[in-house]
Amino acid sequence: MSNPKLLPAQLQRAMQCAARCDATVTSKEWLRTFWYDEDWSDGIAMAKYDNGAGDHVIAFFTSDGKALIKGFDHESEVSPHARDEYASWPGIYEGIPADLLSVVQYEAVEYEDVTFCFWSADGTSWTTGNARIPEGMDDGSTWLLGMVQMDAEEFIEWAKSYYENKFDLIGEVGVSAEFKKGIVEPGQDSQRGGRDT
């Protein structure tokens, strides 16, 4: 299991920047890979990466600095779909503060589709549950966290391959400009994705 390398505020910034870039290149919301919704719920922002192949990362950021990341690698042996009895891996959500647990239990978040989870109650460190995952079993956290913690250079490298010719709609200069903006507050010029999650 890999731990997030970014602090919650840095992760929020990275995911919002990626969503703005994705929205610039991909006009149809349902085709986007990254989404960001500052007003997902009362005082909670939501960011999402979904590769369209069954893998995703959903992150929630509260107005008081708390955060939660829920990731799902559909090919992982930790997936509830890979277990004899369909259920989340034991201990994966153990210890989550009640206010963050209620967010991840929202129906559209697909609570049971999880292979890793991290949360921050203080905005400065990450905590994980007591899931005992056997050595050598991949929960998908390494590659999925890599997708949501990109800086401008990493996003450019990914985007050139992913968007191919459509990358020219934003270009390297456009990506760099979006990542320099940082977090855009509600009411400012922000490209936000909208799904039910």
Side-chain angles (χ1 to χ4, degrees):
M1 173 181 285
S2 293
N3 291 324
K5 67 180 182 181
L6 300 180
L7 296 175
Q10 295 170 325
L11 177 66
Q12 183 176 9
R13 177 185 181 275
M15 293 186 78
Q16 188 187 48
C17 291
R20 288 197 310 257
C21 291
D22 196 15
T24 300
V25 178
T26 312
S27 60
K28 295 178 179 165
E29 284 186 17
W30 64 276
L31 290 174
R32 292 182 191 158
T33 304
F34 294 92
W35 293 266
Y36 184 85
D37 187 348
E38 183 70 36
D39 300 313
W40 180 78
S41 186
D42 188 32
I44 299 171
M46 183 278 301
K48 185 173 185 178
Y49 162 79
D50 187 330
N51 67 2
D55 310 303
H56 67 253
V57 175
I58 304 174
F60 301 96
F61 306 95
T62 68
S63 56
D64 61 355
K66 295 178 185 175
L68 181 140
I69 306 169
K70 179 191 88 82
F72 180 65
D73 177 347
H74 81 284
E75 293 184 352
S76 170
E77 294 172 270
V78 181
S79 166
H81 303 281
R83 305 189 68 215
D84 291 336
E85 291 186 26
Y86 181 84
S88 299
W89 196 272
I92 209 160
Y93 287 126
E94 190 175 321
I96 294 181
D99 54 340
L100 291 176
L101 184 61
S102 66
V103 171
V104 81
Q105 289 175 326
Y106 180 73
E107 183 179 354
V109 177
E110 300 174 291
Y111 176 80
E112 290 183 333
D113 280 352
V114 60
T115 55
F116 64 89
C117 183
F118 297 93
W119 59 90
S120 178
D122 59 11
T124 61
S125 61
W126 292 103
T127 303
T128 189
N130 293 319
R132 287 174 171 63
I133 299 171
E135 190 175 335
M137 193 175 281
D138 187 4
D139 64 1
S141 59
T142 300
W143 78 270
L144 281 168
L145 288 175
M147 292 305 302
V148 299
Q149 297 184 110
M150 291 187 279
D151 60 20
E153 287 182 13
E154 292 165 326
F155 187 88
I156 288 168
E157 183 179 346
W158 170 82
K160 283 181 175 180
S161 172
Y162 183 78
Y163 299 125
E164 297 178 338
N165 293 340
K166 289 182 75 178
F167 178 73
D168 292 342
L169 293 170
I170 190 166
E172 292 186 20
V173 172
V175 170
S176 296
E178 289 296 344
F179 274 78
K180 284 180 183 171
K181 284 182 189 175
I183 292 178
V184 177
E185 299 300 330
Q188 294 180 357
D189 180 34
S190 174
Q191 295 283 348
R192 293 187 304 191
R195 271 195 174 180
D196 291 335
T197 51

